[in-house]
Amino acid sequence: GTPSFLVDGTILFNSIVLDITQEAKNEMLLEEASKIARLGSWEMDVLNEREDGMYWSPIIWDILELDKNYDPSLTGLIELQIGESKTLTERAINRLIQDGVEFEEELLLITGKGNKCWVKASGKSERINNVCVKIYGSFQDITERKNTELKIVQSEQEYRALAFQLQL
C-alpha cells in the first residue's frame, strides 16, 4: 500500500490485500512434482550472460551431484558428458542458437560424485528478429529407465546368441 497525506494532517493509507494461497499451493505442488519426476530446468542468456554461464534449478544440481560452489556453465555441463553425448549436445546447442532448432536428446553423464547418469535433455530458444537471445530447457533423470532398457537389450542379445548356438 501507499500512504497519502491529507491537508488536515491525516494519513490515508490505500492498500490492496491479495490472497496468494492458491498460487503458493500451486508452486509447492510444482516443486514436489519436479522432485518426484527428477525434472529440472536450465537457461542461458545468450546476449548478456558472461561467457557461457547458466542458471540451473535445484533439481539439476541434485541430478548432477555437484557441490553448490560449482559454477554452472554450458562448458562445465558438456565436460560432464560421456562419449557421443558431448558431440550430440554441442551440435544441438549450436543448431538451437544459430537456427532455432529445438532438441530432445538422451545423454550419458558422469556426476560430480563419479556416478553414471542418463538424462533426457530438451532445449528451446527465445528469439528477437531471428536473433537468439536466450536458450532454455529441461533435464530429467532417466537413469533407472535407461538402465532397464539396456538390460533388456543385453538379455535379448544373450538369448539370440544362445538360440543360435543351440541351432548348431
Side-chain angles (χ1 to χ4, degrees), residues 155-168:
S155 294
E156 287 174 350
Q157 289 172 346
E158 290 171 358
Y159 174 77
R160 285 192 179 103
L162 181 61
F164 179 74
Q165 287 178 354
L166 291 175
Q167 288 178 354
L168 298 175

Side-chain angles (χ1 to χ4, degrees), residues 114-166:
N115 298 312
K116 287 185 177 178
C117 175
W118 282 95
V119 296
K120 182 177 183 179
S122 65
K124 296 185 176 199
S125 67
E126 191 174 291
R127 307 178 87 71
I128 298 175
N129 296 326
N130 207 26
V131 174
C132 183
V133 295
K134 178 172 84 171
I135 59 174
Y136 60 97
S138 65
F139 252 42
Q140 184 173 23
D141 184 349
I142 59 166
T143 304
E144 285 184 41
R145 178 184 63 88
K146 195 68 176 179
N147 286 340
T148 301
E149 285 176 10
L150 293 172
K151 285 178 186 174
I152 290 170
V153 168
Q154 182 180 4
S155 294
E156 287 174 350
Q157 289 172 346
E158 290 171 358
Y159 174 77
R160 285 192 179 103
L162 181 61
F164 179 74
Q165 287 178 354
L166 291 175

Side-chain angles (χ1 to χ4, degrees), residues 8-168:
D8 67 357
T10 34
I11 301 172
L12 178 63
F13 196 79
N14 293 323
S15 63
I16 298 174
V17 176
L18 301 173
D19 182 359
I20 60 165
T21 305
Q22 191 62 42
E23 287 84 357
K25 190 173 195 174
N26 288 343
E27 191 172 316
M28 264 186 9
L29 288 172
L30 179 59
E31 187 175 321
E32 287 302 312
S34 292
K35 285 179 187 175
I36 291 168
R38 303 230 348 121
L39 177 67
S41 58
W42 58 268
E43 76 174 28
M44 183 173 123
D45 182 341
V46 176
L47 295 180
N48 301 317
E49 192 61 47
R50 57 158 182 77
E51 298 193 28
D52 67 346
M54 299 178 83
Y55 165 79
W56 296 346
S57 69
I59 299 295
I60 291 183
W61 290 92
D62 187 41
I63 292 170
L64 298 177
E65 298 180 325
L66 291 170
D67 183 274
K68 295 299 178 197
N69 295 325
Y70 187 85
D71 190 21
S73 68
L74 183 57
T75 304
L77 186 59
I78 292 172
E79 287 174 1
L80 293 171
Q81 297 178 21
I82 301 171
E84 72 177 65
S85 292
K86 285 184 182 192
T87 308
L88 284 172
T89 300
E90 289 169 342
R91 190 174 340 142
I93 294 292
N94 286 333
R95 291 181 67 207
L96 180 62
I97 292 171
Q98 298 301 318
D99 304 318
V101 178
E102 297 176 5
F103 70 86
E104 192 169 285
E105 299 285 351
E106 291 183 356
L107 306 169
L108 181 59
L109 307 166
I110 191 85
T111 69
K113 293 183 179 178
N115 298 312
K116 287 185 177 178
C117 175
W118 282 95
V119 296
K120 182 177 183 179
S122 65
K124 296 185 176 199
S125 67
E126 191 174 291
R127 307 178 87 71
I128 298 175
N129 296 326
N130 207 26
V131 174
C132 183
V133 295
K134 178 172 84 171
I135 59 174
Y136 60 97
S138 65
F139 252 42
Q140 184 173 23
D141 184 349
I142 59 166
T143 304
E144 285 184 41
R145 178 184 63 88
K146 195 68 176 179
N147 286 340
T148 301
E149 285 176 10
L150 293 172
K151 285 178 186 174
I152 290 170
V153 168
Q154 182 180 4
S155 294
E156 287 174 350
Q157 289 172 346
E158 290 171 358
Y159 174 77
R160 285 192 179 103
L162 181 61
F164 179 74
Q165 287 178 354
L166 291 175
Q167 288 178 354
L168 298 175

